[in-house]
Structures are given as structure tokens and as C-alpha cells.
Amino acid sequence: MAAAEQHHIMDTPKFDKPVKLAIVVSPYYKDIADNMVAGAKAEAEKAGATVEIINVPGALEIPPAIRIAYRQSNFDGFVALGCIIRGETTHYDTVCNDSSHGLMLLGLQGANIGNGILTVENRSQAEVRADPKDQNKGGGAAAAALHLIALQRKYGASNSGIGFLPRPSDDDDESFQIA
């Protein structure tokens, strides 16, 4: 098999306040899932994040589980981990598309999600991608979630300086000022 194309990997973000990640994983292919979780945990550890593992039966259950935790818990971000291997039916396409679409919708609603759901043609592709010493897609998904958390903390923390300032004193000529 040809080696993976080289690509740039951003440095792990640094945080001044604690980060809490939920790793939502489908252990349908347990050995692959375990490798991905190991990679994600190692990446979270580099950032000083704490991790909670949430297991669900399959990839289709990952987005609803994240939605429940996003709405009802205090996680800063989520790492979605699973593996979908093409089979003999179109079920593969449904699971790939619906799990990805569900994660994207949650992300657009503000959830910080790193998508590490593998969509592969065969088991050997999955093994290479899941291996923390090889392509480490679990670590990459955790890094993506951490980068989104960092962006949210940078740009979503303060509203100061946005909008209208209080009405100036009577000595000023203008009736309002824009910040």
C-alpha cells in the first residue's frame, strides 16, 4: 500500500483554563476503536485536557449521543470516533452520510467536534488510519476538537467593544457613538 500523502499538522493549542473533552466512540470494531481512543487520549493529554469516554453501539448513534451531552453536560468539545467499512450493500453510504451530516449540523450549532469516524473500503485501511504510530486519525480528531475550543475561547468570550456606546454627555454634538 502506498504511504499517506504528507500534510501539515498544526501545533497542539495551549489553554489557560481546563478543557473537558468527551470521546464518543463506537466500539463496533473494537481493536480499531481502541487504537483511535488511545491516539485521542494522548493528544488530549498533550493539551492538558481531561477526557470522558462515552460508548455507543454504532456510528449512527454518535451524533445523537453528542447532542445529548452537548445540551445536558459541561463538555468543552467532543471527539467522534468510529469506523465504517464498506460492505456489500448501500447501508455503508447511509451510515457514512448520516453520521457525517449529523456531526456537521451539531458543529454549526456551536458544538466543538473533531470527526474521527473512519470511512474505509477495507479493514487494512482502517488499521493503518487508526494506529497511533501511523496515521493516528483518533489523535487528529482530538486535535481538531481542541483547535475549535481554542477558537471559541478566543472569539466567543467577550462582547466588549461591540455595538453602541452609552449616550455622550450634553456637551457632545453627536447623539450616539458606534464602537
Side-chain angles (χ1 to χ4, degrees):
M1 175 162 51
E5 186 174 328
Q6 294 297 313
H7 57 277
H8 175 70
I9 297 174
M10 296 170 63
D11 292 336
T12 302
K14 302 201 182 320
F15 298 95
D16 56 352
K17 294 179 186 167
V19 173
K20 185 177 177 186
L21 284 178
I23 297 176
V24 182
V25 60
S26 166
Y28 192 82
Y29 300 104
K30 187 156 177 23
D31 58 327
I32 293 167
D34 288 347
N35 267 345
M36 293 180 71
V37 168
K41 287 170 87 173
E43 187 67 23
E45 186 177 295
K46 286 190 334 190
T50 60
V51 169
E52 183 173 326
I53 307 293
I54 301 170
N55 287 292
V56 296
L60 286 176
E61 289 75 37
I62 294 171
I66 289 175
R67 186 192 177 280
I68 291 166
Y70 177 60
R71 297 286 176 108
Q72 299 176 6
S73 192
N74 63 343
F75 292 103
D76 297 299
F78 303 89
V79 182
L81 299 179
C83 179
I84 307 164
I85 299 175
R86 185 177 297 279
E88 297 176 0
T89 68
T90 58
H91 183 66
Y92 170 86
D93 297 316
T94 299
V95 176
C96 292
N97 292 333
D98 290 355
S99 61
S100 178
H101 186 72
L103 294 177
M104 182 56 69
L105 288 175
L106 288 165
L108 293 173
Q109 293 172 13
N112 300 311
I113 302 171
N115 183 354
I117 299 176
L118 301 178
T119 55
V120 297
E121 298 295 320
N122 55 57
R123 175 171 264 285
S124 64
Q125 288 178 349
E127 290 168 348
V128 168
R129 285 162 177 76
D131 187 345
K133 295 178 192 101
D134 203 330
Q135 290 189 21
N136 192 20
K137 296 300 184 181
L146 292 165
H147 282 285
L148 290 172
I149 293 165
L151 281 173
Q152 183 179 55
R153 288 185 179 182
K154 179 177 180 177
Y155 294 116
S158 173
N159 289 339
S160 64
I162 298 174
F164 296 99
L165 295 175
R167 185 178 185 96
S169 68
D170 291 336
D171 296 335
D172 293 333
D173 292 322
E174 298 189 39
S175 59
F176 65 89
Q177 296 175 342
I178 298 177

